[in-house]
Amino acid sequence: MLIAVLGISFISKIFIAYLNPEIFFFGEKLGGDKARIYLLANALVGIFLVALLLKKDYWKGTVLAILYFGYNACEGYISYQTVTPFTLLSLLLPILTLILLKLDI
């Protein structure tokens, strides 16, 4: 399942880099080549994690994947706080996700 999520993340970052290379990096808007380089580097880290998991190194792969998704969630949260004034909504989404994970839904 983790390999599938990392693959979907890779594909989405490649599409964004190709179609509309624009992203927020800790609240700073990147566009053009800078955004493309950041997105491709982020996607390559995900593919590295897939390769690590396929080599049957589950412990390192899982820990690094948690750090990878934690970094992306933190970066997205900070960018969301900077760009939009909807602080309450940005707090509700992670809380709802944690509740759903706790309930095994």
Side-chain angles (χ1 to χ4, degrees):
M1 186 72 143
L2 184 57
I3 291 173
V5 171
L6 286 167
I8 291 169
S9 174
F10 170 78
I11 290 170
S12 67
K13 288 180 187 352
I14 295 296
F15 279 136
I16 293 170
Y18 180 72
L19 296 175
N20 185 15
E22 186 177 280
I23 193 164
F24 286 90
F25 178 67
F26 290 106
E28 180 182 338
K29 186 175 183 178
L30 299 178
D33 290 336
K34 289 181 183 178
R36 197 170 277 135
I37 289 169
Y38 173 74
L39 286 165
L40 292 176
N42 200 331
L44 289 176
V45 170
I47 289 301
F48 169 75
L49 293 174
V50 169
L52 198 61
L53 288 168
L54 289 176
K55 286 184 177 179
K56 306 268 191 248
D57 196 357
Y58 299 120
W59 176 248
K60 287 181 188 174
T62 304
V63 170
L64 290 175
I66 289 170
L67 292 174
Y68 172 72
F69 285 121
Y71 164 77
N72 283 322
C74 180
E75 188 268 326
Y77 180 75
I78 291 171
S79 295
Y80 188 76
Q81 290 291 328
T82 305
V83 175
T84 63
F86 300 112
T87 306
L88 181 62
L89 180 63
S90 64
L91 288 175
L92 288 177
L93 293 176
I95 292 170
L96 182 62
T97 303
L98 289 173
I99 291 170
L100 291 175
L101 288 173
K102 185 70 174 173
L103 296 175
D104 291 328
I105 296 177

